[in-house]
Amino acid sequence: MDATNSSSSAAGFVSEDRLWKFLMDVAAYGATKNGGVNRQALSVEDTAAKQHVVSWADERNFQTFQDPIGNLFVRSEGTEPDLRPIMTGSHLDSQPTGGRFDGAYGVLAGLEALDALNDAGIQTRRPIEVVAWTNEEGSRFSPGAIGSAVFAGHNTLASVLDVVDREGTVFRDVLAETITGTGAPLRALGSVVPHAYIENHIEQGPVLEGKDLQIGVVSGIQGICHLDVVVLGEEAHAGTTPRRSRKDALSAAVGIIAALEELTTDDGDTIRFTVGRCEVSPGSPNTVPGRVHFTIDLRHPDSEIIQSMRSRIDEVAAAKAGACIVAVSDNLYVPPTTFEPSVIAAIRDSAKNLGYEYLDMPSGAGHDAMHLNAICGAGMIFVPCLGGVSHNEAESATPADLAAGARVLTDTLVRLANS
Ligand code: GLV
Ligand code: MN
Ligand code: MN
């Protein structure tokens, strides 16, 4: 079989309307009144979206599997089933006020590619598997991208089972409910190692839109460091306790955050520093706060810069803690990722083959592909999103751009699955 011809003919069967309808059908699970989705990991909405995918696969006689961390796989068999599969996908879980495309697009673009292959009458040499990874977002259960991390052997299943969300729900309990609710048979961790992994995603930034391009070929992902900071003070009466004798944990935390903002400000505006969660206890207007917990999300393309910032955080925090006690703990570190050159080359060839101008670009956001890249070659295909807006209910993308990315994906899948 001529891989180039079959790949381009398969891409020609990608349907913009079918993909858009599929995206809108899945966006109904956890739909919010502002047009976004709240489909957090291992919720009933997340499970319902997975059930939708299983029904889709059953209608087409594709096999489905789940692994013990709830990653869901849809398998299109190859003519040589024993070969390692080409894998593609992303995640179906969302931020609490998330958009309709972050994650879902990568999963549904993969399934659209399977429909296109079917319509083209093409069976590839290698199997193709489309995956929905568990808990990419990390907003309900921390850390994020845990499904792909466990799949890749970077974390153990045991290390996450006892994690609790803010309501006290234990990961292990809702994982069991999700696996039962999703209904696909179990497959052991480590039983399938992909030959290559490709992930489609909206860019989540403004670059492609600004250049009026439909396709980004992703070179890599910046490093990510997540920390938890706990500031301990002493609860006291707001009316009777003089300011100078207080141990006000929030007041100390405000000073610490301001100092860390300054530490992480660089001339090029490259360092990303975010405090996305700050919990104040007891959270009563007339009690001096006794405890504050806040998170730090720190990112940079250069691991040395992340490490050097990290090494100064405890000292800066302690210097601003005043009469309070501060403790910093590490929650996640994923070093910068450089994607596999041969997968990048295949994506570029597919874009050229289909006549799309593309941009080589890095990813500011984290993705499951960063874990897959360590066990098999990985690469990513970006498409523009409106105004670069993401992690926001207003997130939007056009059917034409989403279909363009699915065509490049389909072409690349056939190219790699016939290699
Ligand atoms: C995933 O959304 C990330 O944190 O980049
Ligand atoms: Mn995502
Ligand atoms: Mn996200």
Side-chain angles (χ1 to χ4, degrees):
M1 187 187 295
D2 180 277
T4 305
N5 288 341
S6 63
S7 59
S8 56
S9 64
F13 282 87
V14 165
S15 161
E16 181 178 313
D17 292 345
R18 182 171 55 193
L19 174 58
W20 182 257
K21 182 178 179 311
F22 204 175
L23 279 158
M24 294 307 107
D25 287 348
V26 169
Y29 301 108
T32 60
K33 63 177 185 340
N34 295 325
V37 291
N38 177 7
R39 196 169 55 232
Q40 293 184 70
L42 308 178
S43 61
V44 290
E45 295 82 10
D46 187 26
T47 306
K50 285 181 167 172
Q51 284 167 342
H52 190 103
V53 167
V54 170
S55 304
W56 180 98
D58 288 347
E59 280 163 23
R60 290 157 175 78
N61 288 321
F62 289 125
Q63 282 181 293
T64 54
F65 302 96
Q66 296 178 91
D67 66 14
I69 184 120
N71 297 318
L72 173 65
F73 305 87
V74 176
R75 182 176 172 99
S76 168
E77 202 51 271
T79 54
E80 296 180 46
D82 294 335
L83 291 181
R84 287 162 62 189
I86 306 299
M87 202 171 269
T88 185
S90 192
H91 57 99
L92 292 171
D93 67 308
S94 81
Q95 291 285 318
T97 51
R100 296 170 295 171
F101 305 97
D102 176 0
Y105 170 55
V107 178
L108 304 185
L111 298 176
E112 174 58 32
L114 298 192
D115 260 348
L117 282 165
N118 254 350
D119 292 351
I122 291 168
Q123 186 179 17
T124 52
R125 261 184 83 216
R126 294 179 182 277
I128 296 175
E129 294 200 359
V130 180
V131 56
W133 301 109
T134 294
N135 187 34
E136 192 274 348
E137 293 291 4
S139 45
R140 181 179 183 195
F141 293 105
S142 185
I146 196 66
S148 52
V150 169
F151 180 86
H154 297 158
N155 288 61
T156 61
L157 180 60
S159 73
V160 299
L161 290 177
D162 296 325
V163 173
V164 288
D165 70 7
R166 285 197 283 175
E167 274 74 52
T169 307
V170 184
F171 189 96
R172 136 189 356 257
D173 296 338
V174 277
L175 173 64
E177 283 168 23
T178 300
I179 289 177
T180 307
T182 301
L186 275 179
R187 186 169 80 179
L189 281 165
S191 57
V192 169
V193 179
H195 180 69
Y197 175 75
I198 309 157
E199 181 165 346
N200 277 41
H201 210 283
I202 55 165
E203 180 202 328
Q204 306 183 277
V207 178
L208 289 173
E209 187 186 59
K211 293 187 183 297
D212 203 16
L213 290 173
Q214 290 189 292
I215 301 296
V217 179
V218 185
S219 49
I221 300 180
Q222 65 180 338
I224 307 174
C225 170
H226 282 180
L227 305 174
D228 285 293
V229 182
V230 173
V231 184
L232 287 179
E234 199 170 273
E235 292 174 19
H237 195 292
T240 60
T241 319
R243 299 269 296 274
R244 278 186 225 135
S245 60
R246 294 180 183 191
K247 292 182 184 172
D248 184 330
L250 181 57
S251 181
V254 167
I256 292 168
I257 293 169
L260 292 177
E261 291 270 8
E262 202 178 311
L263 171 74
T264 54
T265 298
D266 58 335
D267 291 343
D269 199 11
T270 308
I271 300 172
R272 303 282 187 263
F273 172 87
T274 307
V275 174
R277 178 174 293 164
C278 184
E279 292 160 328
V280 181
S281 303
S284 166
N286 49 357
T287 297
V288 174
R291 183 182 193 274
V292 169
H293 163 232
F294 67 88
T295 55
I296 293 176
D297 179 307
L298 176 67
R299 308 191 191 201
H300 195 276
D302 182 339
S303 60
E304 279 181 24
I305 292 186
I306 299 182
Q307 298 301 349
S308 118
M309 294 287 145
R310 170 66 193 96
S311 68
R312 296 179 58 197
I313 284 176
D314 299 66
E315 164 201 322
V316 170
K320 295 286 174 184
C324 297
I325 294 167
V326 58
V328 182
S329 57
D330 293 88
N331 182 274
L332 171 81
Y333 176 61
V334 184
T337 301
T338 303
F339 284 133
E340 162 61 36
S342 62
V343 177
I344 292 176
I347 297 170
R348 283 194 195 123
D349 286 347
S350 290
K352 280 185 222 151
N353 186 31
L354 297 169
Y356 290 111
E357 206 185 325
Y358 62 84
L359 182 73
D360 289 312
M361 61 188 302
S363 173
H367 299 285
D368 295 297
M370 63 199 178
H371 290 303
L372 271 291
N373 194 55
I375 58 162
C376 65
M380 292 188 72
I381 299 165
F382 274 176
V383 297
C385 56
L386 189 69
V389 172
S390 187
H391 283 195
N392 187 316
E393 290 166 284
E395 185 183 271
S396 189
T398 69
D401 291 344
L402 296 162
R407 284 186 201 105
V408 176
L409 173 67
T410 304
D411 196 274
T412 310
L413 287 174
V414 176
R415 193 178 289 277
L416 293 174
N418 282 336
S419 67

